[in-house]
């Protein structure tokens, strides 16, 4: 045999994640709140409709068929203790065949390392190839996916690893349900087409198949985890070598999940965080939950007073719940008591409980302790040793949470509550711009305060770029100067080493109408996807889930300027195409129960097709600048303008019924 020639030392420097669909063992009992806690009422998942036996080879050869020259080894696993290997040369195969009991489409993923090219990862349905990849030469484990494999009841599915020019190692197979939406992009620029197609396939490969029995509490120090449980509707958000999802990552991935129609997953995950924000936790949500959506991931949770918590996450979960409501139209975001109670407490009691180190006058600002992540930190910037009490990313996120609370209250019919939160948002923003952020510009702008009251300026990474991203800085020269400063720092000596930090930069610049800069950072993130992540156990940058999800969201909300409002049956759009991209089109864009196609030609022409849905939508087509006329399907209308966050737009509102296409052009 010629198994992997990688040394033990090299293997230890690579990934050691979990076995995503490991079967057998006992489900981990939900511990009391003092140990790992419950995230609240979670409906038990029905058994998964399709399951692979022994997907991580931890039970040896069980469930798999092996030809000569193949077997199970322990020298170079990706997760836990075992892997499958194939020697180099033709004709060798490790395979498993399962029979579908229902109808569905699935993504099949596995972590694979090779000593040379031309191995194959293949799925066959009833003996015919339904998906296949030729494997490159890559001795570090990478995640490969066969997408949207369709099955009918009684179909046989063969999953096979096939030999190539040199050894092949395979581990940690995972089945994901194909996403409800299958959006497709076309453009004059092939780069965005390639990027979107890769991101769509990669993001969906992280979705858990509900009912799957999988390990709990897996991390780099405990690669086997502690028991198993039934996974809920969820997706990976955080390190791929841990068996759970993180609040910060999930919040940033939510828009991309919305583009894929993963509304059930978004709601289940948001609700689990909401239910974890208990009085014992002083209304902080848990930092990470296992994929069962009810037990806290043990590496980040030791007790109700000793768990990872970061101030911005509490507020981002409120903001993202409002955004999920607009994408899905699901009234549960208003009517579910656990969610509503979380919004109210996060924007009221939480702020009061965590405001005491710095005097902010009549305005309350939630604070961290300055004592590290297990005692509550004010900023997402974990690489800083600054003892922060207040930080730019926290105060910016608090501002957006107030706006989200106002929007949710108004949708619920409580106009008095909505007015109160709109006033709180106005007061916080005014205080930030008049006092909190100081009088300086660029490097001289204040972006945080220490526990002893010192104002901090200069580069703070997250606590710098979150301020314009959350739009708490008033529009004008000061904000523009700060955006210049952020781009200069991130492009030079202040560049973050971790790819997940860079994924925020496109959002920051799109939301401030810096289209070319935002597109530059999208390409930067994508072009570094095959680089080894700074955390060697994570794998490549592209196998960090946040990368693919955020590129999807940035294409739709950023480049295409889509703002959905499914409950109101409305959407607005504005082209943010960068220089050199003449046109961009997306098909199968799902908002609520409707599917749309949207095309932008330059900055002044847009077309919307309402492909399917139960009701007409009102479309507000916006175009930056003041134009004399606007035409709707060739018919001139008087131009109307509005100012949004300091930018003047010409716009037209028109009703688009299902089956209809409308084209709007300014000028």
């Amino acid at each position: 045999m010629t198994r992997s020639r990688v040394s033990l030392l090299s293997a230890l420097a690579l990934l050691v994640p979990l076995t995503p669909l490991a079967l057998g063992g006992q489900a981990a009992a939900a511990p009391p709140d003092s140990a790992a806690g419950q995230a609240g009422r979670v409906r038990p998942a029905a058994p998964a409709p399709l399951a692979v036996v022994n997907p991580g080879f931890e039970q040896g050869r069980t469930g798999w068929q092996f030809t000569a020259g193949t077997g199970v080894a322990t020298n170079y696993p990706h997760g836990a203790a075992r892997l499958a290997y194939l020697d180099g040369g033709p004709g060798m195969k490790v395979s498993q065949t399962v029979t579908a009991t229902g109808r569905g489409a699935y993504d099949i993923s596995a972590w694979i390392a090779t000593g040379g090219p031309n191995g194959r990862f293949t799925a066959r349905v009833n003996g015919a190839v339904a998906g296949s990849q030729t494997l490159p030469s890559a001795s570090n484990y990478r995640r490969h996916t066969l997408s949207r494999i369709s099955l009918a009841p009684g179909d046989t599915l063969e999953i096979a690893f096939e030999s190539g020019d040199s050894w092949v190692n395979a581990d940690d197979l995972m089945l994901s349900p194909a996403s409800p939406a299958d959006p497709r992009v076309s453009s004059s620029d092939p780069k965005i087409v390639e990027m979107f197609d890769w991101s769509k396939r990669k993001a969906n490969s992280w979705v858990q198949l509900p009912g799957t029995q999988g390990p709990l509490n897996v991390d780099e120090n405990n690669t086997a985890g502690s028991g198993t449980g039934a996974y809920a509707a969820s997706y990976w958000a955080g390190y791929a070598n841990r068996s759970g999802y993180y609040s910060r990552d999930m919040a940033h991935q939510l828009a991309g999940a919305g583009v894929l129609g993963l509304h059930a997953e978004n709601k289940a995950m948001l609700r689990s965080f909401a239910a974890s924000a208990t009085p014992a936790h002083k209304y902080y949500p848990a930092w990470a939950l296992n994929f069962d959506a009810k037990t806290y991931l043990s590496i980040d949770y030791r007790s109700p007073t000793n768990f990872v918590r970061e101030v911005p996450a509490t507020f981002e979960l409120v903001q993202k719940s409002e955004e999920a409501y607009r994408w899905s139209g699901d009234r549960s975001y208003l009517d579910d008591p656990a969610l509503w109670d979380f919004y109210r407490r996060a924007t009221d009691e939480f702020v009061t409980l965590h405001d005491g180190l710095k005097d902010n006058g009549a305005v309350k600002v939630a604070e961290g302790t300055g004592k590290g992540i297990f005692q509550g930190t004010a900023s997402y910037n974990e690489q800083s040793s600054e003892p922060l009490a207040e930080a730019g990313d926290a105060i910016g996120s608090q501002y957006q949470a107030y706006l989200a609370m106002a929007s949710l209250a108004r949708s619920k019919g409580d106009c008095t509550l909505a007015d109160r939160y709109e006033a709180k948002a106005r007061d916080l923003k005014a205080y930030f711009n008049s006092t909190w952020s100081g009088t300086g510009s660029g490097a001289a702008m204040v972006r945080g305060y220490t526990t002893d009251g010192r104002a901090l300026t200069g580069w703070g990474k997250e606590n710098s770029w979150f301020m314009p991203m959350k739009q708490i800085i008033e529009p004008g020269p000061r904000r523009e100067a700060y955006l210049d400063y952020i781009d200069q720092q991130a492009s030079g000596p202040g560049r973050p080493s971790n790819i997940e930090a860079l994924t925020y930069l496109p959002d920051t610049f799109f939301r401030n109408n810096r289209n070319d800069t935002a597109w530059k950072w999208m390409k930067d993130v994508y072009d570094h996807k095959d680089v080894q992540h700074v955390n060697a156990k994570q794998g490549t940058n592209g196998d960090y889930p946040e990368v693919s999800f955020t590129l999807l969201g940035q294409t739709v909300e950023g480049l295409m300027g889509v703002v959905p409002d499914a409950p109101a049956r409305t959407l607005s759009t504005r082209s943010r195409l960068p220089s050199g991209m003449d046109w961009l089109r997306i098909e199968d864009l799902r908002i609520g129960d409707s599917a749309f196609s949207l095309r932008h030609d330059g900055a002044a022409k847009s077309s919307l097709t309402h492909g399917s849905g139960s009701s007409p939508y009102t479309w507000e087509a916006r175009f930056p600048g003041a134009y004399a006329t606007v035409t709707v399907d060739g018919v001139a209308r008087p131009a109307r303008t509005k100012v949004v966050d300091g930018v003047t737009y010409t716009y037209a509102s028109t009703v688009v019924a299902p089956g209809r296409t409308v084209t709007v052009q300014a000028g």
Side-chain angles (χ1 to χ4, degrees), residues 490-502:
S491 300
R495 181 184 174 92
S497 58
N498 54 327
I499 194 72
E500 58 271 30
L502 292 171

Side-chain angles (χ1 to χ4, degrees), residues 293-368:
K294 60 184 179 181
T295 55
Y296 306 151
L297 195 62
S298 58
I299 192 172
D300 297 296
Y301 191 93
R302 299 167 184 168
S303 78
T305 59
N306 190 16
F307 65 100
V308 177
R309 50 207 191 270
E310 300 180 8
V311 173
T314 305
F315 297 126
E316 282 214 289
L317 291 170
V318 178
Q319 178 190 355
K320 297 304 175 177
S321 294
E322 195 272 344
E323 292 177 11
Y325 175 53
R326 302 299 165 194
W327 270 107
S328 66
D330 185 347
R331 195 173 167 84
S332 297
Y333 285 102
L334 304 180
D335 297 337
D336 186 312
L339 286 167
W340 189 257
D341 186 62
F342 170 68
Y343 311 150
R344 292 298 310 274
R345 293 188 183 280
T347 54
D348 195 345
E349 287 101 320
F350 176 82
V351 180
T352 300
L353 276 173
H354 302 284
D355 175 30
L357 294 173
K358 179 181 180 298
D359 183 5
N360 294 291
V363 174
K364 295 180 179 179
V365 178
E367 298 167 341

Side-chain angles (χ1 to χ4, degrees), residues 573-575 577 582-584 598-608 619 621-624 627 631 662-667:
T573 64
R574 63 141 301 178
S575 170
L577 301 190
D582 297 330
W583 62 272
L584 177 60
L598 173 66
R599 173 170 170 147
H600 293 314
D601 288 271
K605 182 180 179 181
S606 301
S607 297
L608 183 73
W619 174 35
R622 297 179 183 175
F623 307 97
Y627 291 85
T631 61
V662 175
T663 299
V664 181
Q665 186 166 3

Side-chain angles (χ1 to χ4, degrees), residues 1-8 10 75-76 87 115 166-167 169:
M1 293 184 297
T2 56
R3 302 177 195 172
S4 166
R5 303 302 185 191
V6 180
S7 70
L8 177 62
S10 297
N75 62 320
Y76 182 35
D87 291 338
S166 186
W167 58 265
N169 287 351

Side-chain angles (χ1 to χ4, degrees), residues 516-598:
D516 286 357
T517 307
W519 175 234
K520 178 191 79 170
W521 284 109
M522 284 183 72
K523 291 188 291 184
D524 185 280
V525 168
Y526 180 72
D527 290 344
H528 284 83
K529 66 181 174 59
D530 295 323
V531 175
Q532 188 72 20
H533 191 273
V534 65
N535 176 354
K537 294 181 179 180
Q538 160 60 37
T540 62
N541 286 331
D543 283 326
Y544 198 103
E546 198 167 350
V547 170
S548 52
F549 277 92
T550 54
L551 289 173
L552 289 178
Q554 288 153 4
T555 300
V556 175
E557 294 186 336
L559 288 168
M560 305 210 76
V562 172
V563 180
D565 193 349
R569 303 283 182 181
T570 66
L571 76 154
S572 69
T573 64
R574 63 141 301 178
S575 170
R576 292 197 185 100
L577 301 190
S579 301
M581 190 181 293
D582 297 330
W583 62 272
L584 177 60
R585 183 172 189 256
I586 187 169
E587 301 173 72
D588 199 26
L589 174 64
R590 305 286 184 92
I591 300 173
D593 64 359
S594 289
F596 297 92
S597 294
L598 173 66

